[in-house]
Structure formats: C-alpha cells, structure tokens
Amino acid sequence: MKKLVLIRHGQAQEASSDEKDIDRILTGKGFADVNRLGRVLASKSLTPDVIVSSNAERAALTSNIIAEGVKYDINQIRHNDVLYNASVRNMLDVVNSFREAWKTVFVIGHNPSLSYLAEYLSNAEIGNVSPGGAVVLRAEVEFWNEISQNTMYFEQYYSPDTIPNI
C-alpha cells in the first residue's frame, strides 16, 4: 500500500512589483495554518518516509513547518524544481519515480496542478485545495509507477477552515 499526501503551500503574500513569484513567502495566517496542519497530520499518525517540495520559497517554508510538526528531519526534505508550475503529467512523473521503499510520501506544491492531480488520481470531486490544505490518497499497489488515473482512493481532505486547534 502507498499513501500520497498532497499539500498545498500555506497562504502566501501577494507579489510586489519587484518580487518574483517564486520568492513569495508565507503570511502570518499561512504559517499558523500550516503549523496546525502539521500537528493534525501527526495526530493521525501520518508520518512520511520522505517529503518532496517545490523549490518556491512558500513551499519550502511550508515543508519545513510540516516536517517539524510530524517530527521529520528538515535536512532530509527533497526540493524538486519540477513541482513549481508543474503540469499534472509532470507531477505524475515525479510520483511514478518515487523509491519503492517509500510507503508514505508528502508532496508540497501549488495549485491548480495539485488539485487536478488529486482528482485525476482518485476520481474524487475535490475542487480547489485551499492554501495550507492537504489531500490524503492511498493506493493498493506495490510500485509507485503503477499509479495513474483512478488508481488511488480518496481518504481525507484537510482544510484550514476545518482543522481543529490542537
């Protein structure tokens, strides 16, 4: 069995005219939402074998906060340039290339591709994953390269609006 937790970065500051999109950082609300999400994932015993994050600053910050929440070594986070502005096909290629030893993987990225990927893999109507939200999917497969359209089951959606304070 494989578990894929797709996490959208926390709420980010609006880009200023002299700032690149990739350099935007989290807002205070973004930090707080992601912090709560990390604690909730830990309380549900969702512990990653690996965290793979977009190289965008807001995603990197999100991955660090999530890692702290689930007691994952932040020095082991893998940053992947492909996840920034990725298509569903690009994201699926990343998922299909995961090591077989990894049973649970957290992917931290961006919309709309994150939401589209979740729906493509599970055929669930998820809609727009909120900033600081997460979708938990599972597949009854042995190899990550077996994952494709409609091969995963939707388990849970966590939204900042519904995550309890713990």
Side-chain angles (χ1 to χ4, degrees), residues 85-100:
N85 283 335
S87 67
V88 171
R89 169 86 341 263
N90 296 142
M91 291 189 75
L92 182 59
D93 288 345
V94 170
V95 170
N96 288 157
S97 71
F98 291 158
R99 294 182 184 169
E100 299 316 321

Side-chain angles (χ1 to χ4, degrees), residues 21 54-55 58 81-87 90 110-111 113:
D21 179 69
S54 158
N55 63 328
R58 59 194 178 274
D81 298 355
V82 172
L83 296 177
Y84 179 71
N85 283 335
S87 67
N90 296 142
H110 310 272
N111 261 359
S113 55

Side-chain angles (χ1 to χ4, degrees), residues 90-139:
N90 296 142
M91 291 189 75
L92 182 59
D93 288 345
V94 170
V95 170
N96 288 157
S97 71
F98 291 158
R99 294 182 184 169
E100 299 316 321
W102 299 340
K103 302 297 182 208
T104 301
V105 178
F106 288 10
V107 174
I108 299 169
H110 310 272
N111 261 359
S113 55
L114 201 71
S115 296
Y116 293 159
L117 179 66
E119 290 184 340
Y120 176 79
L121 294 177
S122 67
N123 201 33
E125 288 189 35
I126 295 163
N128 184 41
V129 176
S130 300
V135 176
V136 181
L137 304 173
R138 116 184 111 70

